[in-house]
């Protein structure tokens, strides 16, 4: 299992914008470099990309939840 962590503080979003579909869902096959969410701080948005390939097992934070650097965002089962 691999854990994707937040590189910075801010608000985590699973969608690129309200009303849009999420970047990824639990059970999806994830590729290296695929965007799985964004973190927003002071109107600046940073894409969170996977550094491993596998299956998205779970999101560790909810949509719109505050995160800190090093907080777990997503668990990916490699393979």
């Amino acid at each position: 299992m691999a854990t994707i962590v937040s590189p910075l503080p801010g608000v985590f979003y699973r969608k690129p914008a309200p009303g849009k579909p999420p970047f990824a869902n639990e059970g999806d096959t994830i590729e290296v470099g695929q965007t799985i969410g964004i973190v927003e701080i002071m109107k600046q948005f940073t894409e969170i990309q996977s550094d491993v390939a596998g299956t998205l097992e779970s999101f560790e934070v909810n949509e719109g939840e505050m995160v800190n650097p090093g907080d777990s965002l997503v668990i990916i089962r490699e393979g």
Side-chain angles (χ1 to χ4, degrees), residues 8-11 13 39-46 66:
L8 67 164
V11 179
Y13 296 104
V39 173
E40 182 263 328
I41 182 169
M42 297 177 66
K43 303 296 182 204
Q44 293 191 7
F45 295 88
T46 300
M66 288 293 300

Side-chain angles (χ1 to χ4, degrees), residues 27-70:
D28 286 357
T29 300
I30 303 297
E31 302 295 329
V32 172
Q34 181 175 338
T35 299
I36 54 173
I38 53 176
V39 173
E40 182 263 328
I41 182 169
M42 297 177 66
K43 303 296 182 204
Q44 293 191 7
F45 295 88
T46 300
E47 288 188 354
I48 306 301
Q49 298 178 341
S50 178
D51 54 359
V52 297
T55 302
L56 198 156
E57 285 289 310
S58 64
F59 283 92
E60 301 296 290
V61 294
N62 295 315
E63 176 81 6
E65 192 171 319
M66 288 293 300
V67 296
N68 292 302

